[in-house]
Amino acid sequence: VTLRGDGMTLVDGKPFFPIGLYSVCKREFNGHNLDRAFAEIRKGGFNFVHTYGQASDEFLECARKYDMQIWISAKRITDRFLNKLCDNSNILAWYLGDDTSDVMSAEELLSLDSLVKAYDPTRISCQADPVGTTTLLNQQSRYANYVVGTDVFMPEIYPVRGKDGDETDRTCVAKTISDMKCFASDVRMYGDDRPRGCWAIIQGFKGWHLWHHFPSKEQLYAMAWASVVHGAHGVVWYTYGGFYDKENKRQNEGVTSTPERWGWFCETATRLKELTPFLVERTPSGQPAVEIVEGEKCDPFGYPSVSCLMKRCGKETVLIAVNSSPTVVKARFSSLSGVEAKVLWEARMVPVKGGLMDDSFRPFAVHVYKW
């Protein structure tokens, strides 16, 4: 497992776009049956899973059976690590830090990364942490000192907090863009010229002491696609199930907390999977320009209300466009080819005239065009 020069994951030289879930385990949702859990996850469009603690033999066997890539902890070198895990072809990456900057220094992470790769140079390493303070405010993010510690950063993008209808409901997609921009800025400013990957962790929960309501379907969808538009090389969600918060006597809820919610995540995962042949291609230069012709020109963080990413695969082109504003806007895309574009999953076509295409966006709407 390696990283391509642009940060995309390569497995035996072939690009791989992770679509994953944290903390897959036996839960009420799967009848406390791990085989059933993996079968449902695979059917839902996912290809990448995680479990806390030491991966059991049963977990490893299910990953093999359902051809699922995994990322697991490797915080110390054990006989199991050397004699079993290093030979497991389903392990994509070693997970070296969870809330990294809370539990170890940058020097400790770099030392651990070097140690693990001395025993297993065939895989990449990853860590997860909130971005925290952004470099846009001329202050270091939590990631800044840890950039060179692992190959992949997994920003914990959990922006929907407070009570239903609070300010974070308006800013959540803009916050996603901010965190992705901070990742890219940190790599440029504090990296060592080696490629770094980004697997964005998108909030799929409520609970603990800060997150008082579950994101809406529209928020979840827009946050996932916004991370891709702004550079994510993979998307994962936290978390598969919930946990009981003893300190606050509160039950946390994850992506499987209701059948309806599970359907939301499977729909997004399936669509990411469908577009994977485009997502793993290098991003072409000469991206379309976007102009807001009606409505708010900027989202709550001051970014353009609509941002987009164009990808090509063979003779086909897709354009992913996300409205990070909580208002209705109309956008105009320029420098496009063709005479019309198909809007995927919406059963409609949009005309392209003189290289220009206009379309309307509901709050947090995502449109994916193909021609």
PDB file of all heavy atoms in Angstrom, residues 188-224:
ATOM      1  N   ARG A 188       1.020  21.819   3.101  1.00  0.00           N
ATOM      2  CA  ARG A 188       1.925  22.722   2.378  1.00  0.00           C
ATOM      3  C   ARG A 188       2.929  23.391   3.319  1.00  0.00           C
ATOM      4  O   ARG A 188       4.113  23.506   2.999  1.00  0.00           O
ATOM      5  CB  ARG A 188       1.122  23.806   1.656  1.00  0.00           C
ATOM      6  CG  ARG A 188       0.352  23.337   0.442  1.00  0.00           C
ATOM      7  CD  ARG A 188      -0.122  24.520  -0.390  1.00  0.00           C
ATOM      8  NE  ARG A 188      -0.969  25.430   0.385  1.00  0.00           N
ATOM      9  CZ  ARG A 188      -2.284  25.340   0.477  1.00  0.00           C
ATOM     10  NH1 ARG A 188      -2.916  24.358  -0.155  1.00  0.00           N
ATOM     11  NH2 ARG A 188      -2.974  26.215   1.172  1.00  0.00           N
ATOM     12  N   MET A 189       2.464  23.806   4.484  1.00  0.00           N
ATOM     13  CA  MET A 189       3.297  24.604   5.380  1.00  0.00           C
ATOM     14  C   MET A 189       4.221  23.768   6.258  1.00  0.00           C
ATOM     15  O   MET A 189       5.338  24.172   6.576  1.00  0.00           O
ATOM     16  CB  MET A 189       2.415  25.479   6.270  1.00  0.00           C
ATOM     17  CG  MET A 189       1.634  26.546   5.527  1.00  0.00           C
ATOM     18  SD  MET A 189       0.506  27.476   6.604  1.00  0.00           S
ATOM     19  CE  MET A 189       1.692  28.317   7.664  1.00  0.00           C
ATOM     20  N   TYR A 190       3.756  22.565   6.652  1.00  0.00           N
ATOM     21  CA  TYR A 190       4.497  21.797   7.644  1.00  0.00           C
ATOM     22  C   TYR A 190       4.914  20.414   7.160  1.00  0.00           C
ATOM     23  O   TYR A 190       5.483  19.630   7.918  1.00  0.00           O
ATOM     24  CB  TYR A 190       3.652  21.653   8.921  1.00  0.00           C
ATOM     25  CG  TYR A 190       3.180  22.971   9.464  1.00  0.00           C
ATOM     26  CD1 TYR A 190       1.845  23.366   9.319  1.00  0.00           C
ATOM     27  CD2 TYR A 190       4.052  23.841  10.100  1.00  0.00           C
ATOM     28  CE1 TYR A 190       1.397  24.593   9.812  1.00  0.00           C
ATOM     29  CE2 TYR A 190       3.621  25.058  10.596  1.00  0.00           C
ATOM     30  CZ  TYR A 190       2.291  25.427  10.451  1.00  0.00           C
ATOM     31  OH  TYR A 190       1.876  26.641  10.937  1.00  0.00           O
ATOM     32  N   GLY A 191       4.627  20.086   5.904  1.00  0.00           N
ATOM     33  CA  GLY A 191       4.980  18.783   5.371  1.00  0.00           C
ATOM     34  C   GLY A 191       6.433  18.692   4.963  1.00  0.00           C
ATOM     35  O   GLY A 191       7.217  19.635   5.117  1.00  0.00           O
ATOM     36  N   ASP A 192       6.799  17.540   4.413  1.00  0.00           N
ATOM     37  CA  ASP A 192       8.185  17.284   4.023  1.00  0.00           C
ATOM     38  C   ASP A 192       8.299  16.910   2.545  1.00  0.00           C
ATOM     39  O   ASP A 192       9.201  16.178   2.152  1.00  0.00           O
ATOM     40  CB  ASP A 192       8.767  16.166   4.891  1.00  0.00           C
ATOM     41  CG  ASP A 192       7.913  14.897   4.859  1.00  0.00           C
ATOM     42  OD1 ASP A 192       6.934  14.848   4.075  1.00  0.00           O
ATOM     43  OD2 ASP A 192       8.213  13.956   5.627  1.00  0.00           O
ATOM     44  N   ASP A 193       7.351  17.396   1.744  1.00  0.00           N
ATOM     45  CA  ASP A 193       7.318  17.153   0.291  1.00  0.00           C
ATOM     46  C   ASP A 193       6.914  15.731  -0.068  1.00  0.00           C
ATOM     47  O   ASP A 193       6.921  15.372  -1.249  1.00  0.00           O
ATOM     48  CB  ASP A 193       8.669  17.488  -0.364  1.00  0.00           C
ATOM     49  CG  ASP A 193       9.009  18.966  -0.245  1.00  0.00           C
ATOM     50  OD1 ASP A 193       8.080  19.783  -0.309  1.00  0.00           O
ATOM     51  OD2 ASP A 193      10.200  19.287  -0.077  1.00  0.00           O
ATOM     52  N   ARG A 194       6.596  14.900   0.925  1.00  0.00           N
ATOM     53  CA  ARG A 194       6.015  13.586   0.635  1.00  0.00           C
ATOM     54  C   ARG A 194       4.505  13.744   0.517  1.00  0.00           C
ATOM     55  O   ARG A 194       3.909  14.617   1.156  1.00  0.00           O
ATOM     56  CB  ARG A 194       6.342  12.598   1.752  1.00  0.00           C
ATOM     57  CG  ARG A 194       7.805  12.175   1.803  1.00  0.00           C
ATOM     58  CD  ARG A 194       8.053  11.347   3.065  1.00  0.00           C
ATOM     59  NE  ARG A 194       7.078  10.291   3.227  1.00  0.00           N
ATOM     60  CZ  ARG A 194       6.727   9.775   4.415  1.00  0.00           C
ATOM     61  NH1 ARG A 194       7.244  10.265   5.533  1.00  0.00           N
ATOM     62  NH2 ARG A 194       5.849   8.805   4.495  1.00  0.00           N
ATOM     63  N   PRO A 195       3.838  12.892  -0.303  1.00  0.00           N
ATOM     64  CA  PRO A 195       2.374  12.997  -0.409  1.00  0.00           C
ATOM     65  C   PRO A 195       1.695  12.638   0.905  1.00  0.00           C
ATOM     66  O   PRO A 195       2.187  11.799   1.670  1.00  0.00           O
ATOM     67  CB  PRO A 195       2.030  11.991  -1.514  1.00  0.00           C
ATOM     68  CG  PRO A 195       3.171  11.032  -1.540  1.00  0.00           C
ATOM     69  CD  PRO A 195       4.385  11.827  -1.162  1.00  0.00           C
ATOM     70  N   ARG A 196       0.584  13.281   1.187  1.00  0.00           N
ATOM     71  CA  ARG A 196      -0.244  12.986   2.355  1.00  0.00           C
ATOM     72  C   ARG A 196      -1.674  12.773   1.886  1.00  0.00           C
ATOM     73  O   ARG A 196      -2.194  13.529   1.064  1.00  0.00           O
ATOM     74  CB  ARG A 196      -0.222  14.140   3.366  1.00  0.00           C
ATOM     75  CG  ARG A 196       1.170  14.548   3.806  1.00  0.00           C
ATOM     76  CD  ARG A 196       1.796  13.559   4.753  1.00  0.00           C
ATOM     77  NE  ARG A 196       3.219  13.867   4.929  1.00  0.00           N
ATOM     78  CZ  ARG A 196       4.089  13.098   5.555  1.00  0.00           C
ATOM     79  NH1 ARG A 196       3.690  11.954   6.080  1.00  0.00           N
ATOM     80  NH2 ARG A 196       5.351  13.452   5.661  1.00  0.00           N
ATOM     81  N   GLY A 197      -2.289  11.749   2.399  1.00  0.00           N
ATOM     82  CA  GLY A 197      -3.674  11.472   2.065  1.00  0.00           C
ATOM     83  C   GLY A 197      -4.618  12.034   3.112  1.00  0.00           C
ATOM     84  O   GLY A 197      -4.226  12.298   4.251  1.00  0.00           O
ATOM     85  N   CYS A 198      -5.871  12.202   2.724  1.00  0.00           N
ATOM     86  CA  CYS A 198      -6.910  12.683   3.646  1.00  0.00           C
ATOM     87  C   CYS A 198      -8.148  11.818   3.499  1.00  0.00           C
ATOM     88  O   CYS A 198      -8.747  11.764   2.422  1.00  0.00           O
ATOM     89  CB  CYS A 198      -7.249  14.134   3.339  1.00  0.00           C
ATOM     90  SG  CYS A 198      -8.535  14.812   4.412  1.00  0.00           S
ATOM     91  N   TRP A 199      -8.495  11.120   4.570  1.00  0.00           N
ATOM     92  CA  TRP A 199      -9.748  10.370   4.624  1.00  0.00           C
ATOM     93  C   TRP A 199     -10.645  11.110   5.604  1.00  0.00           C
ATOM     94  O   TRP A 199     -10.484  11.012   6.819  1.00  0.00           O
ATOM     95  CB  TRP A 199      -9.512   8.933   5.093  1.00  0.00           C
ATOM     96  CG  TRP A 199      -8.560   8.152   4.225  1.00  0.00           C
ATOM     97  CD1 TRP A 199      -8.276   8.352   2.908  1.00  0.00           C
ATOM     98  CD2 TRP A 199      -7.756   7.032   4.636  1.00  0.00           C
ATOM     99  NE1 TRP A 199      -7.348   7.430   2.469  1.00  0.00           N
ATOM    100  CE2 TRP A 199      -7.014   6.601   3.506  1.00  0.00           C
ATOM    101  CE3 TRP A 199      -7.604   6.347   5.837  1.00  0.00           C
ATOM    102  CZ2 TRP A 199      -6.123   5.535   3.553  1.00  0.00           C
ATOM    103  CZ3 TRP A 199      -6.720   5.275   5.894  1.00  0.00           C
ATOM    104  CH2 TRP A 199      -5.997   4.872   4.758  1.00  0.00           C
ATOM    105  N   ALA A 200     -11.582  11.889   5.095  1.00  0.00           N
ATOM    106  CA  ALA A 200     -12.416  12.735   5.945  1.00  0.00           C
ATOM    107  C   ALA A 200     -13.379  11.879   6.775  1.00  0.00           C
ATOM    108  O   ALA A 200     -14.064  11.004   6.242  1.00  0.00           O
ATOM    109  CB  ALA A 200     -13.193  13.716   5.082  1.00  0.00           C
ATOM    110  N   ILE A 201     -13.412  12.137   8.078  1.00  0.00           N
ATOM    111  CA  ILE A 201     -14.385  11.478   8.954  1.00  0.00           C
ATOM    112  C   ILE A 201     -15.566  12.423   9.127  1.00  0.00           C
ATOM    113  O   ILE A 201     -15.446  13.482   9.744  1.00  0.00           O
ATOM    114  CB  ILE A 201     -13.808  11.146  10.341  1.00  0.00           C
ATOM    115  CG1 ILE A 201     -12.416  10.527  10.234  1.00  0.00           C
ATOM    116  CG2 ILE A 201     -14.749  10.216  11.086  1.00  0.00           C
ATOM    117  CD1 ILE A 201     -11.747  10.319  11.587  1.00  0.00           C
ATOM    118  N   ILE A 202     -16.703  12.035   8.601  1.00  0.00           N
ATOM    119  CA  ILE A 202     -17.892  12.875   8.655  1.00  0.00           C
ATOM    120  C   ILE A 202     -18.786  12.438   9.822  1.00  0.00           C
ATOM    121  O   ILE A 202     -18.972  11.249  10.073  1.00  0.00           O
ATOM    122  CB  ILE A 202     -18.674  12.790   7.328  1.00  0.00           C
ATOM    123  CG1 ILE A 202     -17.760  13.173   6.148  1.00  0.00           C
ATOM    124  CG2 ILE A 202     -19.898  13.679   7.372  1.00  0.00           C
ATOM    125  CD1 ILE A 202     -17.193  14.562   6.210  1.00  0.00           C
ATOM    126  N   GLN A 203     -19.331  13.398  10.512  1.00  0.00           N
ATOM    127  CA  GLN A 203     -20.199  13.131  11.658  1.00  0.00           C
ATOM    128  C   GLN A 203     -21.393  12.291  11.241  1.00  0.00           C
ATOM    129  O   GLN A 203     -22.154  12.663  10.345  1.00  0.00           O
ATOM    130  CB  GLN A 203     -20.677  14.449  12.259  1.00  0.00           C
ATOM    131  CG  GLN A 203     -21.631  14.289  13.433  1.00  0.00           C
ATOM    132  CD  GLN A 203     -22.083  15.644  13.966  1.00  0.00           C
ATOM    133  OE1 GLN A 203     -21.599  16.686  13.547  1.00  0.00           O
ATOM    134  NE2 GLN A 203     -23.023  15.628  14.901  1.00  0.00           N
ATOM    135  N   GLY A 204     -21.553  11.155  11.937  1.00  0.00           N
ATOM    136  CA  GLY A 204     -22.723  10.315  11.748  1.00  0.00           C
ATOM    137  C   GLY A 204     -23.256   9.901  13.110  1.00  0.00           C
ATOM    138  O   GLY A 204     -23.500   8.727  13.354  1.00  0.00           O
ATOM    139  N   PHE A 205     -23.451  10.862  13.990  1.00  0.00           N
ATOM    140  CA  PHE A 205     -23.833  10.547  15.371  1.00  0.00           C
ATOM    141  C   PHE A 205     -24.413  11.778  16.062  1.00  0.00           C
ATOM    142  O   PHE A 205     -24.296  12.908  15.574  1.00  0.00           O
ATOM    143  CB  PHE A 205     -22.611  10.068  16.163  1.00  0.00           C
ATOM    144  CG  PHE A 205     -21.568  11.141  16.370  1.00  0.00           C
ATOM    145  CD1 PHE A 205     -21.632  12.007  17.457  1.00  0.00           C
ATOM    146  CD2 PHE A 205     -20.529  11.304  15.463  1.00  0.00           C
ATOM    147  CE1 PHE A 205     -20.682  12.998  17.634  1.00  0.00           C
ATOM    148  CE2 PHE A 205     -19.571  12.303  15.633  1.00  0.00           C
ATOM    149  CZ  PHE A 205     -19.651  13.149  16.729  1.00  0.00           C
ATOM    150  N   LYS A 206     -25.009  11.529  17.212  1.00  0.00           N
ATOM    151  CA  LYS A 206     -25.282  12.575  18.191  1.00  0.00           C
ATOM    152  C   LYS A 206     -24.985  11.974  19.563  1.00  0.00           C
ATOM    153  O   LYS A 206     -24.948  10.758  19.737  1.00  0.00           O
ATOM    154  CB  LYS A 206     -26.727  13.058  18.115  1.00  0.00           C
ATOM    155  CG  LYS A 206     -27.747  12.143  18.790  1.00  0.00           C
ATOM    156  CD  LYS A 206     -29.088  12.853  18.945  1.00  0.00           C
ATOM    157  CE  LYS A 206     -30.023  12.010  19.812  1.00  0.00           C
ATOM    158  NZ  LYS A 206     -31.304  12.683  20.056  1.00  0.00           N
ATOM    159  N   GLY A 207     -24.762  12.849  20.553  1.00  0.00           N
ATOM    160  CA  GLY A 207     -24.512  12.349  21.899  1.00  0.00           C
ATOM    161  C   GLY A 207     -23.259  12.946  22.501  1.00  0.00           C
ATOM    162  O   GLY A 207     -22.842  14.038  22.136  1.00  0.00           O
ATOM    163  N   TRP A 208     -22.634  12.188  23.418  1.00  0.00           N
ATOM    164  CA  TRP A 208     -21.525  12.691  24.209  1.00  0.00           C
ATOM    165  C   TRP A 208     -21.987  13.987  24.887  1.00  0.00           C
ATOM    166  O   TRP A 208     -23.152  14.172  25.181  1.00  0.00           O
ATOM    167  CB  TRP A 208     -20.258  12.841  23.369  1.00  0.00           C
ATOM    168  CG  TRP A 208     -19.624  11.515  23.085  1.00  0.00           C
ATOM    169  CD1 TRP A 208     -18.652  10.885  23.787  1.00  0.00           C
ATOM    170  CD2 TRP A 208     -19.954  10.618  22.014  1.00  0.00           C
ATOM    171  NE1 TRP A 208     -18.344   9.668  23.229  1.00  0.00           N
ATOM    172  CE2 TRP A 208     -19.130   9.479  22.142  1.00  0.00           C
ATOM    173  CE3 TRP A 208     -20.876  10.664  20.959  1.00  0.00           C
ATOM    174  CZ2 TRP A 208     -19.179   8.399  21.271  1.00  0.00           C
ATOM    175  CZ3 TRP A 208     -20.929   9.597  20.088  1.00  0.00           C
ATOM    176  CH2 TRP A 208     -20.083   8.482  20.242  1.00  0.00           C
ATOM    177  N   HIS A 209     -21.117  14.923  25.113  1.00  0.00           N
ATOM    178  CA  HIS A 209     -21.534  16.118  25.852  1.00  0.00           C
ATOM    179  C   HIS A 209     -21.655  17.362  24.979  1.00  0.00           C
ATOM    180  O   HIS A 209     -22.015  18.422  25.465  1.00  0.00           O
ATOM    181  CB  HIS A 209     -20.534  16.397  26.991  1.00  0.00           C
ATOM    182  CG  HIS A 209     -19.132  16.643  26.515  1.00  0.00           C
ATOM    183  ND1 HIS A 209     -18.342  15.628  26.015  1.00  0.00           N
ATOM    184  CD2 HIS A 209     -18.391  17.779  26.435  1.00  0.00           C
ATOM    185  CE1 HIS A 209     -17.163  16.135  25.660  1.00  0.00           C
ATOM    186  NE2 HIS A 209     -17.168  17.421  25.900  1.00  0.00           N
ATOM    187  N   LEU A 210     -21.371  17.228  23.664  1.00  0.00           N
ATOM    188  CA  LEU A 210     -21.382  18.403  22.797  1.00  0.00           C
ATOM    189  C   LEU A 210     -22.388  18.330  21.655  1.00  0.00           C
ATOM    190  O   LEU A 210     -22.845  19.360  21.174  1.00  0.00           O
ATOM    191  CB  LEU A 210     -19.986  18.628  22.193  1.00  0.00           C
ATOM    192  CG  LEU A 210     -18.870  19.074  23.130  1.00  0.00           C
ATOM    193  CD1 LEU A 210     -17.550  19.137  22.380  1.00  0.00           C
ATOM    194  CD2 LEU A 210     -19.190  20.444  23.725  1.00  0.00           C
ATOM    195  N   TRP A 211     -22.729  17.138  21.208  1.00  0.00           N
ATOM    196  CA  TRP A 211     -23.520  16.983  19.986  1.00  0.00           C
ATOM    197  C   TRP A 211     -24.944  16.567  20.363  1.00  0.00           C
ATOM    198  O   TRP A 211     -25.231  15.389  20.590  1.00  0.00           O
ATOM    199  CB  TRP A 211     -22.860  15.952  19.077  1.00  0.00           C
ATOM    200  CG  TRP A 211     -21.486  16.376  18.655  1.00  0.00           C
ATOM    201  CD1 TRP A 211     -21.162  17.176  17.598  1.00  0.00           C
ATOM    202  CD2 TRP A 211     -20.236  16.049  19.284  1.00  0.00           C
ATOM    203  NE1 TRP A 211     -19.807  17.365  17.510  1.00  0.00           N
ATOM    204  CE2 TRP A 211     -19.207  16.685  18.545  1.00  0.00           C
ATOM    205  CE3 TRP A 211     -19.878  15.288  20.402  1.00  0.00           C
ATOM    206  CZ2 TRP A 211     -17.864  16.573  18.886  1.00  0.00           C
ATOM    207  CZ3 TRP A 211     -18.538  15.186  20.734  1.00  0.00           C
ATOM    208  CH2 TRP A 211     -17.541  15.813  19.989  1.00  0.00           C
ATOM    209  N   HIS A 212     -25.839  17.528  20.382  1.00  0.00           N
ATOM    210  CA  HIS A 212     -27.154  17.312  20.961  1.00  0.00           C
ATOM    211  C   HIS A 212     -28.234  16.917  19.961  1.00  0.00           C
ATOM    212  O   HIS A 212     -29.344  16.599  20.366  1.00  0.00           O
ATOM    213  CB  HIS A 212     -27.597  18.566  21.726  1.00  0.00           C
ATOM    214  CG  HIS A 212     -26.701  18.897  22.879  1.00  0.00           C
ATOM    215  ND1 HIS A 212     -26.680  18.146  24.038  1.00  0.00           N
ATOM    216  CD2 HIS A 212     -25.762  19.866  23.040  1.00  0.00           C
ATOM    217  CE1 HIS A 212     -25.787  18.648  24.879  1.00  0.00           C
ATOM    218  NE2 HIS A 212     -25.203  19.691  24.287  1.00  0.00           N
ATOM    219  N   HIS A 213     -27.939  16.969  18.671  1.00  0.00           N
ATOM    220  CA  HIS A 213     -28.922  16.460  17.719  1.00  0.00           C
ATOM    221  C   HIS A 213     -28.213  15.870  16.504  1.00  0.00           C
ATOM    222  O   HIS A 213     -27.078  16.221  16.190  1.00  0.00           O
ATOM    223  CB  HIS A 213     -29.930  17.532  17.303  1.00  0.00           C
ATOM    224  CG  HIS A 213     -29.397  18.617  16.429  1.00  0.00           C
ATOM    225  ND1 HIS A 213     -28.593  19.638  16.886  1.00  0.00           N
ATOM    226  CD2 HIS A 213     -29.573  18.869  15.091  1.00  0.00           C
ATOM    227  CE1 HIS A 213     -28.299  20.461  15.903  1.00  0.00           C
ATOM    228  NE2 HIS A 213     -28.859  20.013  14.807  1.00  0.00           N
ATOM    229  N   PHE A 214     -28.896  14.952  15.863  1.00  0.00           N
ATOM    230  CA  PHE A 214     -28.338  14.229  14.721  1.00  0.00           C
ATOM    231  C   PHE A 214     -28.411  15.120  13.483  1.00  0.00           C
ATOM    232  O   PHE A 214     -29.401  15.808  13.255  1.00  0.00           O
ATOM    233  CB  PHE A 214     -29.143  12.947  14.476  1.00  0.00           C
ATOM    234  CG  PHE A 214     -28.362  11.832  13.850  1.00  0.00           C
ATOM    235  CD1 PHE A 214     -27.747  10.872  14.647  1.00  0.00           C
ATOM    236  CD2 PHE A 214     -28.232  11.723  12.474  1.00  0.00           C
ATOM    237  CE1 PHE A 214     -27.030   9.831  14.083  1.00  0.00           C
ATOM    238  CE2 PHE A 214     -27.514  10.690  11.904  1.00  0.00           C
ATOM    239  CZ  PHE A 214     -26.910   9.742  12.707  1.00  0.00           C
ATOM    240  N   PRO A 215     -27.368  15.125  12.653  1.00  0.00           N
ATOM    241  CA  PRO A 215     -27.439  15.908  11.414  1.00  0.00           C
ATOM    242  C   PRO A 215     -28.592  15.442  10.533  1.00  0.00           C
ATOM    243  O   PRO A 215     -28.988  14.274  10.545  1.00  0.00           O
ATOM    244  CB  PRO A 215     -26.084  15.628  10.737  1.00  0.00           C
ATOM    245  CG  PRO A 215     -25.188  15.183  11.842  1.00  0.00           C
ATOM    246  CD  PRO A 215     -26.061  14.452  12.810  1.00  0.00           C
ATOM    247  N   SER A 216     -29.132  16.365   9.746  1.00  0.00           N
ATOM    248  CA  SER A 216     -30.192  16.004   8.813  1.00  0.00           C
ATOM    249  C   SER A 216     -29.614  15.251   7.624  1.00  0.00           C
ATOM    250  O   SER A 216     -28.390  15.258   7.392  1.00  0.00           O
ATOM    251  CB  SER A 216     -30.907  17.263   8.310  1.00  0.00           C
ATOM    252  OG  SER A 216     -30.042  18.018   7.465  1.00  0.00           O
ATOM    253  N   LYS A 217     -30.479  14.638   6.858  1.00  0.00           N
ATOM    254  CA  LYS A 217     -30.043  13.927   5.660  1.00  0.00           C
ATOM    255  C   LYS A 217     -29.319  14.871   4.708  1.00  0.00           C
ATOM    256  O   LYS A 217     -28.266  14.530   4.148  1.00  0.00           O
ATOM    257  CB  LYS A 217     -31.250  13.303   4.951  1.00  0.00           C
ATOM    258  CG  LYS A 217     -30.890  12.564   3.673  1.00  0.00           C
ATOM    259  CD  LYS A 217     -32.132  11.972   2.997  1.00  0.00           C
ATOM    260  CE  LYS A 217     -31.755  11.239   1.711  1.00  0.00           C
ATOM    261  NZ  LYS A 217     -32.945  10.662   1.043  1.00  0.00           N
ATOM    262  N   GLU A 218     -29.851  16.087   4.532  1.00  0.00           N
ATOM    263  CA  GLU A 218     -29.248  17.055   3.614  1.00  0.00           C
ATOM    264  C   GLU A 218     -27.873  17.497   4.109  1.00  0.00           C
ATOM    265  O   GLU A 218     -26.933  17.640   3.323  1.00  0.00           O
ATOM    266  CB  GLU A 218     -30.171  18.269   3.461  1.00  0.00           C
ATOM    267  CG  GLU A 218     -31.476  17.994   2.739  1.00  0.00           C
ATOM    268  CD  GLU A 218     -32.500  17.257   3.595  1.00  0.00           C
ATOM    269  OE1 GLU A 218     -32.358  17.237   4.841  1.00  0.00           O
ATOM    270  OE2 GLU A 218     -33.452  16.696   3.020  1.00  0.00           O
ATOM    271  N   GLN A 219     -27.737  17.717   5.409  1.00  0.00           N
ATOM    272  CA  GLN A 219     -26.454  18.112   5.970  1.00  0.00           C
ATOM    273  C   GLN A 219     -25.418  17.005   5.793  1.00  0.00           C
ATOM    274  O   GLN A 219     -24.277  17.258   5.379  1.00  0.00           O
ATOM    275  CB  GLN A 219     -26.610  18.456   7.448  1.00  0.00           C
ATOM    276  CG  GLN A 219     -27.384  19.732   7.712  1.00  0.00           C
ATOM    277  CD  GLN A 219     -27.751  19.893   9.171  1.00  0.00           C
ATOM    278  OE1 GLN A 219     -27.856  18.915   9.925  1.00  0.00           O
ATOM    279  NE2 GLN A 219     -27.963  21.128   9.595  1.00  0.00           N
ATOM    280  N   LEU A 220     -25.798  15.786   6.100  1.00  0.00           N
ATOM    281  CA  LEU A 220     -24.880  14.655   5.977  1.00  0.00           C
ATOM    282  C   LEU A 220     -24.404  14.484   4.542  1.00  0.00           C
ATOM    283  O   LEU A 220     -23.214  14.271   4.288  1.00  0.00           O
ATOM    284  CB  LEU A 220     -25.577  13.374   6.447  1.00  0.00           C
ATOM    285  CG  LEU A 220     -25.862  13.266   7.936  1.00  0.00           C
ATOM    286  CD1 LEU A 220     -26.878  12.163   8.205  1.00  0.00           C
ATOM    287  CD2 LEU A 220     -24.578  12.997   8.706  1.00  0.00           C
ATOM    288  N   TYR A 221     -25.327  14.573   3.620  1.00  0.00           N
ATOM    289  CA  TYR A 221     -25.005  14.389   2.204  1.00  0.00           C
ATOM    290  C   TYR A 221     -24.060  15.486   1.725  1.00  0.00           C
ATOM    291  O   TYR A 221     -23.039  15.231   1.065  1.00  0.00           O
ATOM    292  CB  TYR A 221     -26.305  14.405   1.407  1.00  0.00           C
ATOM    293  CG  TYR A 221     -26.198  13.901  -0.011  1.00  0.00           C
ATOM    294  CD1 TYR A 221     -25.828  12.582  -0.275  1.00  0.00           C
ATOM    295  CD2 TYR A 221     -26.510  14.728  -1.098  1.00  0.00           C
ATOM    296  CE1 TYR A 221     -25.762  12.107  -1.577  1.00  0.00           C
ATOM    297  CE2 TYR A 221     -26.440  14.260  -2.398  1.00  0.00           C
ATOM    298  CZ  TYR A 221     -26.065  12.949  -2.638  1.00  0.00           C
ATOM    299  OH  TYR A 221     -25.996  12.479  -3.928  1.00  0.00           O
ATOM    300  N   ALA A 222     -24.392  16.735   2.080  1.00  0.00           N
ATOM    301  CA  ALA A 222     -23.567  17.857   1.632  1.00  0.00           C
ATOM    302  C   ALA A 222     -22.182  17.827   2.273  1.00  0.00           C
ATOM    303  O   ALA A 222     -21.183  18.139   1.613  1.00  0.00           O
ATOM    304  CB  ALA A 222     -24.272  19.176   1.950  1.00  0.00           C
ATOM    305  N   MET A 223     -22.080  17.463   3.553  1.00  0.00           N
ATOM    306  CA  MET A 223     -20.774  17.409   4.205  1.00  0.00           C
ATOM    307  C   MET A 223     -19.876  16.378   3.542  1.00  0.00           C
ATOM    308  O   MET A 223     -18.679  16.614   3.324  1.00  0.00           O
ATOM    309  CB  MET A 223     -20.933  17.116   5.699  1.00  0.00           C
ATOM    310  CG  MET A 223     -21.473  18.275   6.500  1.00  0.00           C
ATOM    311  SD  MET A 223     -21.379  18.015   8.303  1.00  0.00           S
ATOM    312  CE  MET A 223     -22.640  16.763   8.553  1.00  0.00           C
ATOM    313  N   ALA A 224     -20.438  15.219   3.219  1.00  0.00           N
ATOM    314  CA  ALA A 224     -19.641  14.167   2.573  1.00  0.00           C
ATOM    315  C   ALA A 224     -19.110  14.627   1.219  1.00  0.00           C
ATOM    316  O   ALA A 224     -17.914  14.507   0.924  1.00  0.00           O
ATOM    317  CB  ALA A 224     -20.472  12.897   2.421  1.00  0.00           C
TER     318      ALA A 224
END
